[in-house]
Amino acid sequence: MSTEPRVLIVLGSDSDLPVMAAACSTFDEFGVPYSLRILSAHRVPHELATVATAAKDDNYQVIIAAAGMAAHLPGVIAAHTTLPVIGVPLQSKVLDGQDALYSIVQMPPGVPVACVGINAAKNAALLALQILAASDSDLSDALIRYKQTMAETVLNKDKKVQAIGYRAYLQERG
Ligand code: RP5
């Protein structure tokens, strides 16, 4: 597998990193290299535009952009590139992430952004991996194995709750 980063992750602030670390660890788990940048649409608009405009020539294939509050970051990036952009709305104190969700999800026709759930860093990474897997059979196989493992985990829980009943299950679950 190439060591050249294929995914560009952009955060609106370093305060977004604790949540978005789950995206990084998901890429680590699949052995897919990524670049991580901290570039605000509002605080460093020119630098952000430069990075977004160059992303395709820099050989990135998909971009994840995470921001909270008035989260214009994914939309602004999408305005500067034809690469697929996945937006992650982040929870904030005052409006609980709904501000970011609404800022990201309702893009005008012509400039799409794929929006995952509030704080859904892991799903953003998995969606990015699925986009890459469309032209990468090794990654596609790894994602199939991931889903199989997930299914086995749930089926084992189902078996267990049927075997020991809900009270004992809850006790064991803690
Ligand atoms: C957004 O404003 C960032 O994405 C972050 O979620 C929020 C607050 O940023 P800081 O004041 O913590 O840097 O642009």
Side-chain angles (χ1 to χ4, degrees):
M1 203 175 274
S2 156
T3 53
E4 191 182 11
R6 303 161 72 188
V7 183
L8 173 61
I9 304 174
V10 186
L11 311 184
S13 168
D14 64 349
S15 64
D16 301 330
L17 192 51
V19 169
M20 290 309 294
C24 301
S25 61
T26 302
F27 289 121
D28 292 341
E29 188 185 325
F30 280 85
V32 170
Y34 56 88
S35 301
L36 178 64
R37 303 291 304 266
I38 296 166
L39 292 166
S40 160
H42 304 118
R43 292 166 175 159
V44 287
H46 302 296
E47 290 80 357
L48 176 67
T50 303
V51 168
T53 305
K56 203 163 186 218
D57 288 340
D58 288 342
N59 293 325
Y60 293 111
Q61 291 170 276
V62 56
I63 300 174
I64 292 176
M69 303 175 80
H72 299 129
L73 185 75
V76 168
I77 292 174
H80 286 97
T81 185
T82 56
L83 290 174
V85 177
I86 301 168
V88 188
L90 296 175
Q91 196 171 11
S92 55
K93 282 188 194 128
V94 180
L95 294 173
D96 223 19
Q98 294 199 37
D99 42 357
L101 174 66
Y102 289 154
S103 300
I104 294 173
V105 79
Q106 287 292 350
M107 286 295 290
V111 191
V113 166
C115 182
V116 294
I118 296 170
N119 282 4
K122 185 173 187 159
N123 264 3
L126 288 170
L127 181 55
L129 289 169
Q130 289 182 186
I131 290 169
L132 296 175
S135 57
D136 181 332
S137 59
D138 287 345
L139 191 51
S140 178
D141 290 345
L143 283 163
I144 289 168
R145 286 194 298 275
Y146 175 85
K147 279 197 185 263
Q148 280 167 347
T149 304
M150 196 164 52
E152 276 161 26
T153 306
V154 175
L155 292 175
N156 285 335
K157 289 176 181 175
D158 175 51
K159 230 181 257 167
K160 189 170 169 183
V161 77
Q162 290 183 67
I164 67 174
Y166 84 93
R167 281 195 191 87
Y169 190 99
L170 275 179
Q171 229 162 18
E172 274 190 35
R173 200 169 181 265

